[in-house]
Amino acid sequence: MVNQWKLKEIVLMSILGVVFGVIYLAFFLVGQGIRNILVPFGLGPLGYEVIFGIWFIVSIIAAYILRKPGVAFTAEVIAGVVEVLLGSAAGPGLILAAAIQGLGAEFAFAITKWRDYRLRILILSGIFAALFSFVWNLYSSGNIALAPSLLIAMLITRIVSGALLAGVLGKWISDQLAKTGVLRGYKLGKELQRRREKGAA
């Protein structure tokens, strides 16, 4: 799989992993803030769920730009490693969590045999990342002990967050980058160029 990637693709995937690893770490503070607001209402666990999709976004952006097997998974793991190296309070276990999220995101692309990168598949990727990570967190974070009604609310919130913050936002960010021309040497950039030429014809 790795030998199917060009050096420039590996470099871009690594850069994205590092950048979003930093962003992921910053969003722990955002999640904590939302959690603190919701605690008095008995909804503290929903604090992180609202923004959980952010922690899947690099897998979708990398996959959408490069369009090759294994990219979603690898980019997510790189981001997880960066978080740990930067001192995340979650510790090394975060790398395993990132791998599970990456597997979920990769699964959506695998279903299409890595041939479909339309918005609906990017949204599905965010949803699968949400589902995979939610099941993992049931035991790794002890969420299984929470009330069923709260768990259902958490699951729904995480799925919506994954669909919107990872799938929809991930596509939008990638498309904006492509419009600048910095991605012209990658699959997404080439696709945009073809559309422009077709529109001009």
Side-chain angles (χ1 to χ4, degrees):
M1 179 170 62
V2 175
N3 59 11
Q4 296 176 345
W5 300 340
K6 297 176 181 177
L7 178 59
K8 66 178 182 180
E9 293 171 336
I10 295 174
V11 170
L12 178 61
M13 183 169 52
S14 299
I15 291 172
L16 289 171
V18 171
V19 169
F20 280 94
V22 174
I23 292 173
Y24 286 3
L25 189 60
F27 265 85
F28 272 109
L29 298 176
V30 176
Q32 186 64 45
I34 298 174
R35 180 181 181 279
N36 291 340
I37 293 172
L38 295 177
V39 164
F41 304 98
L43 300 174
L46 287 176
Y48 285 101
E49 302 301 328
V50 173
I51 60 169
F52 219 100
I54 284 294
W55 287 297
F56 315 143
I57 195 170
V58 71
S59 57
I60 291 173
I61 288 176
Y64 181 49
I65 292 173
L66 300 178
R67 308 187 177 195
K68 288 189 175 182
V71 170
F73 171 78
T74 305
E76 194 70 36
V77 171
I78 292 172
V81 171
V82 170
E83 282 186 85
V84 172
L85 292 177
L86 289 176
S88 171
L94 183 61
I95 298 175
L96 179 56
I100 291 170
Q101 292 170 184
L103 282 173
E106 190 76 47
F107 185 65
F109 301 114
I111 290 175
T112 71
K113 296 182 179 179
W114 295 277
R115 293 173 182 167
D116 192 342
Y117 290 87
R118 287 174 290 179
L119 177 60
R120 65 186 184 187
I121 301 302
L122 303 184
I123 289 174
L124 188 61
S125 180
I127 290 173
F128 275 127
L131 291 172
F132 277 47
S133 63
F134 188 83
V135 172
W136 167 249
N137 289 151
L138 283 176
Y139 302 98
S140 65
S141 300
N143 289 347
I144 193 69
L146 298 174
S149 59
L150 182 55
L151 281 176
I152 292 173
M154 290 168 64
L155 176 59
I156 292 173
T157 304
R158 188 178 299 196
I159 287 174
V160 172
S161 182
L164 298 180
L165 295 185
V168 177
L169 181 60
K171 181 180 187 302
W172 183 83
I173 291 173
S174 302
D175 286 341
Q176 298 313 303
L177 283 173
K179 288 177 182 178
T180 68
V182 298
L183 300 178
R184 58 182 174 273
Y186 303 93
K187 292 286 182 67
L188 176 59
K190 292 176 181 177
E191 178 187 81
L192 181 61
Q193 183 62 32
R194 285 196 297 270
R195 289 178 185 173
R196 287 174 175 169
E197 292 173 352
K198 186 175 180 181

